Amino acid sequence: MADNTDSITFDVEGMTCASCALRIERVLGKQDGVESAVVNFAGQEARAQVAPGTDVDALRAAVDRIGYDIRPLAPGETRETPTERYAKEVVYQRRNVLLAALLTAPLMVLSMAVDETTATRWWQLVLSTPVVFIFGAQFHKATLKQVATLGPAMDTLISVGSLAAWGYSVWALLADEPLFFETAGMIITLILLGRYFEARAKGRASHAITKLLELGARQARVIRQGEEVMVDPLELAPGDIVVVLPGEKVPVDGVITSGRSTLDESMLTGESMPIDHEPGDRVFGATVNQQGRIEVEVTHVGPNTALAQIVRLVEDAQATKAPVQRLADRIAGVFVPAVIAIAIVVFIGWMIGSGEVSTALRNSVAVLIIACPCALGLATPTAIMVGSGRGAELGVLFKDAEVFERARSIDTVVFDKTGTLT
């Protein structure tokens, strides 16, 4: 990676599958001034290495043309935590799947467990319509974006399959033919259940980052005009003098100017025994002062502290892609158009072979749904996110995602007396 490039992190909105992330990544990578781009579907963010002076608005416009929105994050900008974001997603998807299931359950009973009458046929239409068009709206909206930009993705398979089953069933209802309303309803409900589990998995993984951030001090005792004043650590600036009393956390990184004490630095070094410190020694935010009163001159605050860099390391590991994930993304990118083409061939083949629209439709819809490669595009990034998050909880930090694959070749692990991996 070139040293004369800038790194820009974007919040990404509108992604619903790994194919979406791959499309954004391709578009960003083709823009003038962009050296490389990585889009993390699990983390809903993009990171680009760009040449100095690159027009960020042009990058946003390019991504907007394919139906997504990216917003650059300013250095040190306070943003919604991943845990908060995924908590909202869990609530949203749980509501959708529960309401869809409440309608799909009686729909399945009417279609399979009771004698068919004119009333039961019309009730199937009534029950399936809100499932397909209200609770399944997220798939159809995503499909419209994908089709408009000639980039079909996984949502396209779900949308086309459910709409084909529902549309055919409306015709069959009027023509007194077999119905497949339950197929459309069950497709949407089961995929919604998958989205709910997905949101829960990503939320649990991102919780590790939030727990790291919570290690920091909530307030700092700073000397202003000769008096000690309590302030938010983010209000401190290099050169300020903060006072840390016994039992308190050091709020930021700095150098001791007065006082002696021992500090518990286990969260940073793994060393269980407190370390003696005196004037001139460096101290780090989130470490705990054990004994004496010390005064510390601030050197690093906010995103420049050691704790923030640890958090950034975890985020970087979750944002990078292992070789197997890049392979999965490439496969997912061509898989969707191929599946749609195969479904069309299956429909035509069954129409020629059987002459029955219902049989041809049923088999083509089965191809669309069964072949939906959600696991292919989701399993790898989610595994990396969960693994790096769990590692952070246990004090193990991964530099990037490639480490997960390279770890299988390790045959010797060397620890020092503190238990820190060397």
Side-chain angles (χ1 to χ4, degrees):
M1 186 179 296
D3 292 334
N4 61 341
T5 60
D6 298 326
S7 178
I8 304 178
T9 302
F10 299 90
D11 261 341
V12 183
E13 293 184 3
M15 289 195 298
T16 58
C17 64
S19 294
C20 300
L22 184 62
R23 294 179 62 216
I24 298 173
E25 195 170 284
R26 287 174 175 171
V27 169
L28 280 176
K30 293 178 180 178
Q31 303 307 306
D32 292 338
V34 177
E35 298 289 336
S36 64
V38 176
V39 179
N40 179 13
F41 168 58
Q44 297 289 298
E45 71 173 18
R47 298 192 179 195
Q49 293 292 330
V50 303
T54 299
D55 187 353
V56 176
D57 289 336
L59 302 183
R60 296 190 65 183
V63 174
D64 182 68
R65 284 194 291 272
I66 60 171
Y68 305 94
D69 181 54
I70 60 174
R71 183 181 65 84
L73 298 174
E77 176 183 350
T78 300
R79 58 189 296 200
E80 185 179 47
T81 67
T83 300
E84 292 171 342
R85 180 167 64 246
Y86 290 128
K88 293 179 181 178
E89 178 71 9
V90 167
V91 172
Y92 172 71
Q93 297 296 0
R94 181 171 57 210
R95 182 198 65 189
N96 282 341
V97 72
L98 287 177
L99 293 177
L102 286 175
L103 296 176
T104 301
L107 174 62
M108 296 298 293
V109 172
L110 288 176
S111 65
M112 298 183 176
V114 301
D115 294 333
E116 185 175 83
T117 64
T118 300
T120 61
R121 288 169 64 87
W122 280 97
W123 269 111
Q124 290 181 55
L125 170 64
V126 172
L127 292 170
S128 64
T129 299
V131 174
V132 173
F133 291 98
I134 297 178
F135 306 117
Q138 57 185 291
F139 307 117
H140 308 317
K141 290 177 181 178
T143 297
L144 288 176
K145 292 181 180 179
Q146 294 158 6
V147 172
T149 56
L150 301 179
M154 300 178 196
D155 287 312
T156 307
L157 302 182
I158 300 167
S159 178
V160 172
S162 59
L163 290 178
W166 184 89
Y168 168 79
S169 297
V170 172
W171 171 82
L173 177 63
L174 301 175
D176 200 26
E177 295 288 338
L179 305 178
F180 295 99
F181 285 121
E182 82 285 353
T183 300
M186 187 57 70
I187 288 170
I188 296 296
T189 302
L190 290 178
I191 298 297
L192 285 174
L193 182 62
R195 288 285 171 88
Y196 167 65
F197 287 143
E198 171 192 334
R200 284 186 60 189
K202 291 189 292 187
R204 288 176 177 176
S206 64
H207 184 61
I209 295 178
T210 302
K211 289 180 69 175
L212 283 174
L213 291 171
E214 290 174 350
L215 291 175
R218 301 296 185 185
Q219 287 188 310
R221 183 179 285 101
V222 62
I223 298 178
R224 296 272 171 85
Q225 298 178 349
E227 296 183 359
E228 297 180 6
V229 182
M230 301 299 292
V231 300
D232 189 300
L234 293 176
E235 297 178 16
L236 297 175
D240 284 343
I241 301 296
V242 296
V243 176
V244 186
L245 301 179
E248 293 182 345
K249 291 182 178 180
V250 179
V252 290
D253 294 359
V255 177
I256 296 177
T257 60
S258 176
R260 287 177 168 78
S261 184
T262 57
L263 274 75
D264 178 0
E265 298 181 344
S266 57
M267 56 76 57
L268 194 64
T269 65
E271 174 60 72
S272 60
M273 295 296 292
I275 306 299
D276 293 333
H277 285 76
E278 59 185 22
D281 289 348
R282 295 181 62 191
V283 294
F284 301 95
T287 57
V288 181
N289 182 18
Q290 296 286 300
Q291 296 179 348
R293 177 184 187 275
I294 57 175
E295 294 183 3
V296 177
E297 180 179 350
V298 176
T299 57
H300 299 94
V301 298
N304 298 317
T305 63
L307 177 62
Q309 291 173 17
I310 291 174
V311 172
R312 191 177 304 117
L313 188 64
V314 177
E315 292 176 336
D316 287 344
Q318 293 181 344
T320 56
K321 294 187 177 182
V324 67
Q325 184 177 345
R326 289 192 287 269
L327 175 62
D329 286 347
R330 287 196 297 271
I331 294 174
V334 299
F335 193 83
V336 174
V339 168
I340 293 176
I342 293 172
I344 293 174
V345 171
V346 168
F347 181 83
I348 295 173
W350 277 96
M351 281 298 296
I352 295 174
S354 67
E356 297 180 1
V357 176
S358 60
T359 301
L361 179 68
R362 181 170 60 250
N363 290 318
S364 61
V365 169
V367 170
L368 290 172
I369 302 307
I370 294 173
C372 183
C374 292
L376 175 69
L378 179 64
T380 303
T382 300
I384 290 172
M385 193 171 189
V386 171
S388 59
R390 179 58 178 159
E393 291 179 349
L394 299 175
V396 180
L397 301 178
F398 298 89
K399 183 178 180 180
D400 55 44
E402 188 175 353
V403 173
F404 287 91
E405 288 195 44
R406 294 173 58 192
R408 71 177 185 271
S409 62
I410 295 175
D411 57 16
T412 303
V413 180
V414 180
F415 293 87
D416 64 19
K417 66 182 180 63
T418 68
T420 302
L421 180 63
T422 57

